[in-house]
Amino acid sequence: MPMDTYKIFRKFLRDNDCERQFDAAFYEQCGANVLDKTLADILVIDEGFFGRVFRWDFTPEGREYWKAIDLKWFKLMAK
């Protein structure tokens, strides 16, 4: 992708009204780390990112919520 993937990802979270939920789940499940640009570069934000970063069923939103977000992200990245 021509733009910074981290910026695209953050915009996607805001546009889909799930930035707060994502940050909370990531922080809780990933050793109290915040997903900043440096960590995002290490983890590689790609079309399968949501499936790797935390357990959907361990969040208040649940599996179906994150499955829908994951599908939207996949479609955006597949363009």
mmCIF file of all heavy atoms in Angstrom, residues 1-42:
data_model
loop_
_atom_site.group_PDB
_atom_site.id
_atom_site.type_symbol
_atom_site.label_atom_id
_atom_site.label_comp_id
_atom_site.label_asym_id
_atom_site.label_seq_id
_atom_site.Cartn_x
_atom_site.Cartn_y
_atom_site.Cartn_z
ATOM 1 N N MET A 1 0.838 -1.184 0.000
ATOM 2 C CA MET A 1 0.000 0.000 0.000
ATOM 3 C C MET A 1 0.880 1.243 0.000
ATOM 4 O O MET A 1 1.879 1.278 0.699
ATOM 5 C CB MET A 1 -0.878 0.027 1.238
ATOM 6 C CG MET A 1 -2.074 -0.904 1.186
ATOM 7 S SD MET A 1 -3.194 -0.572 2.539
ATOM 8 C CE MET A 1 -4.669 -0.321 1.600
ATOM 9 N N PRO A 2 0.487 2.264 -0.732
ATOM 10 C CA PRO A 2 1.327 3.450 -0.846
ATOM 11 C C PRO A 2 1.392 4.278 0.437
ATOM 12 O O PRO A 2 2.411 4.834 0.761
ATOM 13 C CB PRO A 2 0.679 4.253 -1.966
ATOM 14 C CG PRO A 2 -0.702 3.721 -2.094
ATOM 15 C CD PRO A 2 -0.672 2.318 -1.606
ATOM 16 N N MET A 3 0.301 4.349 1.195
ATOM 17 C CA MET A 3 0.301 5.125 2.435
ATOM 18 C C MET A 3 0.853 4.280 3.577
ATOM 19 O O MET A 3 0.991 3.076 3.463
ATOM 20 C CB MET A 3 -1.114 5.579 2.790
ATOM 21 C CG MET A 3 -1.627 6.719 1.944
ATOM 22 S SD MET A 3 -3.289 7.240 2.396
ATOM 23 C CE MET A 3 -3.184 7.539 4.137
ATOM 24 N N ASP A 4 1.127 4.927 4.678
ATOM 25 C CA ASP A 4 1.595 4.263 5.890
ATOM 26 C C ASP A 4 0.493 3.334 6.406
ATOM 27 O O ASP A 4 -0.601 3.775 6.746
ATOM 28 C CB ASP A 4 1.940 5.349 6.907
ATOM 29 C CG ASP A 4 2.460 4.797 8.196
ATOM 30 O OD1 ASP A 4 1.905 3.807 8.705
ATOM 31 O OD2 ASP A 4 3.424 5.375 8.711
ATOM 32 N N THR A 5 0.767 2.055 6.485
ATOM 33 C CA THR A 5 -0.232 1.058 6.887
ATOM 34 C C THR A 5 -0.743 1.321 8.294
ATOM 35 O O THR A 5 -1.927 1.138 8.568
ATOM 36 C CB THR A 5 0.347 -0.364 6.786
ATOM 37 O OG1 THR A 5 0.837 -0.557 5.458
ATOM 38 C CG2 THR A 5 -0.703 -1.409 7.065
ATOM 39 N N TYR A 6 0.114 1.762 9.191
ATOM 40 C CA TYR A 6 -0.316 2.063 10.556
ATOM 41 C C TYR A 6 -1.368 3.174 10.555
ATOM 42 O O TYR A 6 -2.378 3.081 11.251
ATOM 43 C CB TYR A 6 0.876 2.441 11.423
ATOM 44 C CG TYR A 6 0.493 2.783 12.842
ATOM 45 C CD1 TYR A 6 0.114 1.781 13.742
ATOM 46 C CD2 TYR A 6 0.500 4.097 13.291
ATOM 47 C CE1 TYR A 6 -0.243 2.086 15.050
ATOM 48 C CE2 TYR A 6 0.149 4.405 14.594
ATOM 49 C CZ TYR A 6 -0.231 3.402 15.466
ATOM 50 O OH TYR A 6 -0.592 3.706 16.758
ATOM 51 N N LYS A 7 -1.135 4.215 9.781
ATOM 52 C CA LYS A 7 -2.109 5.315 9.692
ATOM 53 C C LYS A 7 -3.423 4.826 9.092
ATOM 54 O O LYS A 7 -4.501 5.220 9.539
ATOM 55 C CB LYS A 7 -1.542 6.473 8.866
ATOM 56 C CG LYS A 7 -0.460 7.243 9.575
ATOM 57 C CD LYS A 7 0.034 8.380 8.715
ATOM 58 C CE LYS A 7 1.165 9.118 9.390
ATOM 59 N NZ LYS A 7 1.704 10.194 8.551
ATOM 60 N N ILE A 8 -3.338 3.991 8.084
ATOM 61 C CA ILE A 8 -4.536 3.421 7.468
ATOM 62 C C ILE A 8 -5.297 2.589 8.496
ATOM 63 O O ILE A 8 -6.530 2.679 8.605
ATOM 64 C CB ILE A 8 -4.173 2.569 6.244
ATOM 65 C CG1 ILE A 8 -3.605 3.447 5.132
ATOM 66 C CG2 ILE A 8 -5.375 1.767 5.744
ATOM 67 C CD1 ILE A 8 -2.942 2.684 4.013
ATOM 68 N N PHE A 9 -4.564 1.797 9.265
ATOM 69 C CA PHE A 9 -5.183 0.958 10.279
ATOM 70 C C PHE A 9 -5.886 1.799 11.336
ATOM 71 O O PHE A 9 -7.033 1.527 11.703
ATOM 72 C CB PHE A 9 -4.119 0.058 10.920
ATOM 73 C CG PHE A 9 -4.668 -0.872 11.945
ATOM 74 C CD1 PHE A 9 -5.448 -1.958 11.571
ATOM 75 C CD2 PHE A 9 -4.413 -0.672 13.285
ATOM 76 C CE1 PHE A 9 -5.962 -2.833 12.515
ATOM 77 C CE2 PHE A 9 -4.916 -1.539 14.250
ATOM 78 C CZ PHE A 9 -5.695 -2.616 13.853
ATOM 79 N N ARG A 10 -5.215 2.818 11.827
ATOM 80 C CA ARG A 10 -5.821 3.695 12.845
ATOM 81 C C ARG A 10 -7.070 4.390 12.306
ATOM 82 O O ARG A 10 -8.078 4.510 12.996
ATOM 83 C CB ARG A 10 -4.808 4.728 13.346
ATOM 84 C CG ARG A 10 -3.839 4.157 14.329
ATOM 85 C CD ARG A 10 -4.560 3.860 15.613
ATOM 86 N NE ARG A 10 -3.776 3.022 16.481
ATOM 87 C CZ ARG A 10 -4.225 2.492 17.597
ATOM 88 N NH1 ARG A 10 -5.449 2.699 17.994
ATOM 89 N NH2 ARG A 10 -3.475 1.719 18.323
ATOM 90 N N LYS A 11 -7.002 4.842 11.070
ATOM 91 C CA LYS A 11 -8.176 5.481 10.450
ATOM 92 C C LYS A 11 -9.309 4.475 10.315
ATOM 93 O O LYS A 11 -10.477 4.789 10.579
ATOM 94 C CB LYS A 11 -7.813 6.063 9.089
ATOM 95 C CG LYS A 11 -8.979 6.756 8.399
ATOM 96 C CD LYS A 11 -8.555 7.375 7.101
ATOM 97 C CE LYS A 11 -9.645 8.109 6.351
ATOM 98 N NZ LYS A 11 -11.000 7.769 6.587
ATOM 99 N N PHE A 12 -9.002 3.252 9.927
ATOM 100 C CA PHE A 12 -10.002 2.194 9.829
ATOM 101 C C PHE A 12 -10.683 1.974 11.177
ATOM 102 O O PHE A 12 -11.911 1.870 11.253
ATOM 103 C CB PHE A 12 -9.346 0.894 9.347
ATOM 104 C CG PHE A 12 -10.258 -0.290 9.406
ATOM 105 C CD1 PHE A 12 -11.136 -0.556 8.375
ATOM 106 C CD2 PHE A 12 -10.246 -1.143 10.504
ATOM 107 C CE1 PHE A 12 -11.993 -1.644 8.431
ATOM 108 C CE2 PHE A 12 -11.090 -2.238 10.577
ATOM 109 C CZ PHE A 12 -11.971 -2.485 9.530
ATOM 110 N N LEU A 13 -9.905 1.905 12.244
ATOM 111 C CA LEU A 13 -10.483 1.714 13.583
ATOM 112 C C LEU A 13 -11.427 2.858 13.940
ATOM 113 O O LEU A 13 -12.537 2.632 14.430
ATOM 114 C CB LEU A 13 -9.381 1.595 14.635
ATOM 115 C CG LEU A 13 -8.482 0.369 14.571
ATOM 116 C CD1 LEU A 13 -7.369 0.479 15.623
ATOM 117 C CD2 LEU A 13 -9.267 -0.921 14.752
ATOM 118 N N ARG A 14 -10.997 4.076 13.676
ATOM 119 C CA ARG A 14 -11.852 5.240 13.976
ATOM 120 C C ARG A 14 -13.110 5.233 13.113
ATOM 121 O O ARG A 14 -14.215 5.457 13.611
ATOM 122 C CB ARG A 14 -11.079 6.541 13.772
ATOM 123 C CG ARG A 14 -10.076 6.830 14.867
ATOM 124 C CD ARG A 14 -9.480 8.223 14.746
ATOM 125 N NE ARG A 14 -8.788 8.420 13.479
ATOM 126 C CZ ARG A 14 -7.528 8.072 13.240
ATOM 127 N NH1 ARG A 14 -6.809 7.503 14.180
ATOM 128 N NH2 ARG A 14 -6.984 8.306 12.073
ATOM 129 N N ASP A 15 -12.950 4.971 11.837
ATOM 130 C CA ASP A 15 -14.088 4.969 10.911
ATOM 131 C C ASP A 15 -15.117 3.897 11.250
ATOM 132 O O ASP A 15 -16.295 4.044 10.932
ATOM 133 C CB ASP A 15 -13.618 4.763 9.461
ATOM 134 C CG ASP A 15 -12.865 5.953 8.908
ATOM 135 O OD1 ASP A 15 -12.852 7.032 9.557
ATOM 136 O OD2 ASP A 15 -12.260 5.811 7.824
ATOM 137 N N ASN A 16 -14.666 2.818 11.871
ATOM 138 C CA ASN A 16 -15.564 1.720 12.230
ATOM 139 C C ASN A 16 -15.926 1.730 13.717
ATOM 140 O O ASN A 16 -16.486 0.765 14.227
ATOM 141 C CB ASN A 16 -14.935 0.385 11.827
ATOM 142 C CG ASN A 16 -14.988 0.201 10.333
ATOM 143 O OD1 ASN A 16 -16.000 -0.220 9.796
ATOM 144 N ND2 ASN A 16 -13.916 0.571 9.646
ATOM 145 N N ASP A 17 -15.616 2.851 14.367
ATOM 146 C CA ASP A 17 -15.977 3.081 15.764
ATOM 147 C C ASP A 17 -15.548 1.931 16.673
ATOM 148 O O ASP A 17 -16.315 1.467 17.520
ATOM 149 C CB ASP A 17 -17.487 3.330 15.877
ATOM 150 C CG ASP A 17 -17.860 3.988 17.193
ATOM 151 O OD1 ASP A 17 -17.014 4.713 17.756
ATOM 152 O OD2 ASP A 17 -18.981 3.769 17.676
ATOM 153 N N CYS A 18 -14.316 1.459 16.468
ATOM 154 C CA CYS A 18 -13.825 0.359 17.302
ATOM 155 C C CYS A 18 -12.399 0.588 17.801
ATOM 156 O O CYS A 18 -11.753 -0.339 18.287
ATOM 157 C CB CYS A 18 -13.928 -0.966 16.548
ATOM 158 S SG CYS A 18 -12.914 -1.077 15.064
ATOM 159 N N GLU A 19 -11.920 1.807 17.717
ATOM 160 C CA GLU A 19 -10.552 2.085 18.149
ATOM 161 C C GLU A 19 -10.390 1.844 19.658
ATOM 162 O O GLU A 19 -9.435 1.203 20.090
ATOM 163 C CB GLU A 19 -10.146 3.522 17.802
ATOM 164 C CG GLU A 19 -8.683 3.796 18.066
ATOM 165 C CD GLU A 19 -8.225 5.142 17.541
ATOM 166 O OE1 GLU A 19 -9.025 6.107 17.539
ATOM 167 O OE2 GLU A 19 -7.059 5.234 17.131
ATOM 168 N N ARG A 20 -11.304 2.337 20.447
ATOM 169 C CA ARG A 20 -11.230 2.159 21.897
ATOM 170 C C ARG A 20 -11.292 0.676 22.260
ATOM 171 O O ARG A 20 -10.517 0.184 23.070
ATOM 172 C CB ARG A 20 -12.365 2.922 22.586
ATOM 173 C CG ARG A 20 -12.343 2.818 24.111
ATOM 174 C CD ARG A 20 -13.545 3.495 24.747
ATOM 175 N NE ARG A 20 -14.820 3.046 24.225
ATOM 176 C CZ ARG A 20 -15.403 1.879 24.528
ATOM 177 N NH1 ARG A 20 -14.820 1.041 25.349
ATOM 178 N NH2 ARG A 20 -16.567 1.555 24.006
ATOM 179 N N GLN A 21 -12.195 -0.061 21.616
ATOM 180 C CA GLN A 21 -12.344 -1.490 21.892
ATOM 181 C C GLN A 21 -11.088 -2.264 21.487
ATOM 182 O O GLN A 21 -10.630 -3.146 22.209
ATOM 183 C CB GLN A 21 -13.565 -2.062 21.157
ATOM 184 C CG GLN A 21 -14.877 -1.476 21.601
ATOM 185 C CD GLN A 21 -15.282 -0.231 20.814
ATOM 186 O OE1 GLN A 21 -14.460 0.541 20.343
ATOM 187 N NE2 GLN A 21 -16.582 -0.033 20.678
ATOM 188 N N PHE A 22 -10.542 -1.929 20.335
ATOM 189 C CA PHE A 22 -9.316 -2.589 19.877
ATOM 190 C C PHE A 22 -8.175 -2.321 20.856
ATOM 191 O O PHE A 22 -7.477 -3.242 21.280
ATOM 192 C CB PHE A 22 -8.913 -2.113 18.475
ATOM 193 C CG PHE A 22 -7.609 -2.713 18.032
ATOM 194 C CD1 PHE A 22 -7.576 -3.930 17.395
ATOM 195 C CD2 PHE A 22 -6.410 -2.065 18.302
ATOM 196 C CE1 PHE A 22 -6.357 -4.512 17.030
ATOM 197 C CE2 PHE A 22 -5.192 -2.624 17.942
ATOM 198 C CZ PHE A 22 -5.173 -3.856 17.298
ATOM 199 N N ASP A 23 -7.981 -1.046 21.199
ATOM 200 C CA ASP A 23 -6.876 -0.692 22.090
ATOM 201 C C ASP A 23 -7.007 -1.381 23.445
ATOM 202 O O ASP A 23 -6.009 -1.854 24.001
ATOM 203 C CB ASP A 23 -6.787 0.822 22.258
ATOM 204 C CG ASP A 23 -6.253 1.518 21.016
ATOM 205 O OD1 ASP A 23 -5.594 0.851 20.183
ATOM 206 O OD2 ASP A 23 -6.480 2.731 20.875
ATOM 207 N N ALA A 24 -8.215 -1.457 23.971
ATOM 208 C CA ALA A 24 -8.433 -2.104 25.272
ATOM 209 C C ALA A 24 -8.112 -3.595 25.197
ATOM 210 O O ALA A 24 -7.429 -4.142 26.069
ATOM 211 C CB ALA A 24 -9.872 -1.888 25.736
ATOM 212 N N ALA A 25 -8.590 -4.264 24.160
ATOM 213 C CA ALA A 25 -8.343 -5.704 24.009
ATOM 214 C C ALA A 25 -6.861 -5.979 23.782
ATOM 215 O O ALA A 25 -6.291 -6.902 24.372
ATOM 216 C CB ALA A 25 -9.179 -6.270 22.858
ATOM 217 N N PHE A 26 -6.237 -5.184 22.939
ATOM 218 C CA PHE A 26 -4.807 -5.371 22.669
ATOM 219 C C PHE A 26 -4.002 -5.181 23.948
ATOM 220 O O PHE A 26 -3.146 -6.000 24.287
ATOM 221 C CB PHE A 26 -4.337 -4.396 21.582
ATOM 222 C CG PHE A 26 -2.929 -4.652 21.144
ATOM 223 C CD1 PHE A 26 -2.672 -5.559 20.134
ATOM 224 C CD2 PHE A 26 -1.864 -4.006 21.739
ATOM 225 C CE1 PHE A 26 -1.365 -5.824 19.728
ATOM 226 C CE2 PHE A 26 -0.558 -4.260 21.349
ATOM 227 C CZ PHE A 26 -0.312 -5.175 20.342
ATOM 228 N N TYR A 27 -4.283 -4.122 24.667
ATOM 229 C CA TYR A 27 -3.555 -3.815 25.901
ATOM 230 C C TYR A 27 -3.720 -4.942 26.919
ATOM 231 O O TYR A 27 -2.750 -5.402 27.517
ATOM 232 C CB TYR A 27 -4.067 -2.496 26.481
ATOM 233 C CG TYR A 27 -3.321 -2.036 27.699
ATOM 234 C CD1 TYR A 27 -2.135 -1.317 27.576
ATOM 235 C CD2 TYR A 27 -3.799 -2.300 28.969
ATOM 236 C CE1 TYR A 27 -1.441 -0.898 28.691
ATOM 237 C CE2 TYR A 27 -3.107 -1.870 30.098
ATOM 238 C CZ TYR A 27 -1.932 -1.169 29.951
ATOM 239 O OH TYR A 27 -1.247 -0.753 31.062
ATOM 240 N N GLU A 28 -4.949 -5.403 27.098
ATOM 241 C CA GLU A 28 -5.231 -6.428 28.094
ATOM 242 C C GLU A 28 -4.603 -7.774 27.732
ATOM 243 O O GLU A 28 -4.054 -8.470 28.586
ATOM 244 C CB GLU A 28 -6.738 -6.606 28.245
ATOM 245 C CG GLU A 28 -7.112 -7.629 29.292
ATOM 246 C CD GLU A 28 -8.609 -7.747 29.456
ATOM 247 O OE1 GLU A 28 -9.273 -6.707 29.556
ATOM 248 O OE2 GLU A 28 -9.092 -8.895 29.459
ATOM 249 N N GLN A 29 -4.660 -8.142 26.478
ATOM 250 C CA GLN A 29 -4.222 -9.481 26.084
ATOM 251 C C GLN A 29 -2.765 -9.557 25.617
ATOM 252 O O GLN A 29 -2.231 -10.652 25.480
ATOM 253 C CB GLN A 29 -5.137 -10.026 24.984
ATOM 254 C CG GLN A 29 -6.547 -10.301 25.464
ATOM 255 C CD GLN A 29 -7.377 -10.998 24.410
ATOM 256 O OE1 GLN A 29 -6.872 -11.807 23.638
ATOM 257 N NE2 GLN A 29 -8.652 -10.680 24.381
ATOM 258 N N CYS A 30 -2.150 -8.434 25.379
ATOM 259 C CA CYS A 30 -0.794 -8.455 24.822
ATOM 260 C C CYS A 30 0.242 -7.900 25.790
ATOM 261 O O CYS A 30 1.136 -7.132 25.408
ATOM 262 C CB CYS A 30 -0.764 -7.710 23.495
ATOM 263 S SG CYS A 30 -1.807 -8.483 22.254
ATOM 264 N N GLY A 31 0.119 -8.269 27.035
ATOM 265 C CA GLY A 31 1.137 -7.912 28.015
ATOM 266 C C GLY A 31 1.205 -6.445 28.348
ATOM 267 O O GLY A 31 2.291 -5.912 28.572
ATOM 268 N N ALA A 32 0.054 -5.781 28.369
ATOM 269 C CA ALA A 32 -0.012 -4.357 28.717
ATOM 270 C C ALA A 32 0.853 -3.508 27.788
ATOM 271 O O ALA A 32 1.532 -2.588 28.229
ATOM 272 C CB ALA A 32 0.340 -4.126 30.184
ATOM 273 N N ASN A 33 0.833 -3.835 26.526
ATOM 274 C CA ASN A 33 1.508 -3.035 25.507
ATOM 275 C C ASN A 33 0.478 -2.240 24.729
ATOM 276 O O ASN A 33 -0.653 -2.670 24.570
ATOM 277 C CB ASN A 33 2.266 -3.924 24.515
ATOM 278 C CG ASN A 33 3.505 -4.501 25.116
ATOM 279 O OD1 ASN A 33 4.337 -3.788 25.636
ATOM 280 N ND2 ASN A 33 3.632 -5.813 25.058
ATOM 281 N N VAL A 34 0.895 -1.101 24.227
ATOM 282 C CA VAL A 34 0.066 -0.271 23.362
ATOM 283 C C VAL A 34 0.552 -0.476 21.932
ATOM 284 O O VAL A 34 1.757 -0.526 21.688
ATOM 285 C CB VAL A 34 0.186 1.217 23.766
ATOM 286 C CG1 VAL A 34 -0.580 2.103 22.817
ATOM 287 C CG2 VAL A 34 -0.282 1.419 25.195
ATOM 288 N N LEU A 35 -0.386 -0.590 21.004
ATOM 289 C CA LEU A 35 0.013 -0.748 19.599
ATOM 290 C C LEU A 35 0.365 0.617 19.025
ATOM 291 O O LEU A 35 -0.495 1.377 18.606
ATOM 292 C CB LEU A 35 -1.096 -1.402 18.775
ATOM 293 C CG LEU A 35 -0.719 -1.653 17.320
ATOM 294 C CD1 LEU A 35 0.355 -2.729 17.223
ATOM 295 C CD2 LEU A 35 -1.932 -2.054 16.507
ATOM 296 N N ASP A 36 1.650 0.926 19.051
ATOM 297 C CA ASP A 36 2.129 2.148 18.426
ATOM 298 C C ASP A 36 2.766 1.787 17.085
ATOM 299 O O ASP A 36 2.778 0.623 16.678
ATOM 300 C CB ASP A 36 3.099 2.893 19.340
ATOM 301 C CG ASP A 36 4.337 2.071 19.688
ATOM 302 O OD1 ASP A 36 4.548 0.980 19.101
ATOM 303 O OD2 ASP A 36 5.105 2.522 20.564
ATOM 304 N N LYS A 37 3.289 2.776 16.399
ATOM 305 C CA LYS A 37 3.852 2.540 15.063
ATOM 306 C C LYS A 37 5.009 1.546 15.108
ATOM 307 O O LYS A 37 5.107 0.659 14.255
ATOM 308 C CB LYS A 37 4.317 3.853 14.449
ATOM 309 C CG LYS A 37 5.056 3.666 13.143
ATOM 310 C CD LYS A 37 4.486 4.460 12.044
ATOM 311 C CE LYS A 37 5.241 4.372 10.751
ATOM 312 N NZ LYS A 37 5.451 3.060 10.212
ATOM 313 N N THR A 38 5.868 1.659 16.093
ATOM 314 C CA THR A 38 7.021 0.760 16.188
ATOM 315 C C THR A 38 6.582 -0.686 16.357
ATOM 316 O O THR A 38 7.054 -1.581 15.642
ATOM 317 C CB THR A 38 7.937 1.180 17.351
ATOM 318 O OG1 THR A 38 8.375 2.523 17.132
ATOM 319 C CG2 THR A 38 9.140 0.273 17.462
ATOM 320 N N LEU A 39 5.677 -0.932 17.290
ATOM 321 C CA LEU A 39 5.190 -2.286 17.506
ATOM 322 C C LEU A 39 4.405 -2.791 16.291
ATOM 323 O O LEU A 39 4.512 -3.952 15.909
ATOM 324 C CB LEU A 39 4.328 -2.350 18.766
ATOM 325 C CG LEU A 39 3.861 -3.729 19.199
ATOM 326 C CD1 LEU A 39 5.024 -4.716 19.323
ATOM 327 C CD2 LEU A 39 3.099 -3.633 20.512
ATOM 328 N N ALA A 40 3.649 -1.909 15.660
ATOM 329 C CA ALA A 40 2.898 -2.287 14.455
ATOM 330 C C ALA A 40 3.846 -2.743 13.344
ATOM 331 O O ALA A 40 3.561 -3.710 12.637
ATOM 332 C CB ALA A 40 2.030 -1.128 13.983
ATOM 333 N N ASP A 41 4.973 -2.063 13.206
ATOM 334 C CA ASP A 41 5.958 -2.457 12.195
ATOM 335 C C ASP A 41 6.534 -3.837 12.497
ATOM 336 O O ASP A 41 6.774 -4.636 11.595
ATOM 337 C CB ASP A 41 7.083 -1.431 12.096
ATOM 338 C CG ASP A 41 6.654 -0.140 11.424
ATOM 339 O OD1 ASP A 41 5.585 -0.119 10.771
ATOM 340 O OD2 ASP A 41 7.375 0.868 11.574
ATOM 341 N N ILE A 42 6.744 -4.133 13.769
ATOM 342 C CA ILE A 42 7.276 -5.433 14.160
ATOM 343 C C ILE A 42 6.243 -6.540 13.919
ATOM 344 O O ILE A 42 6.569 -7.614 13.408
ATOM 345 C CB ILE A 42 7.717 -5.418 15.642
ATOM 346 C CG1 ILE A 42 8.918 -4.488 15.829
ATOM 347 C CG2 ILE A 42 8.027 -6.824 16.150
ATOM 348 C CD1 ILE A 42 9.227 -4.134 17.271
#
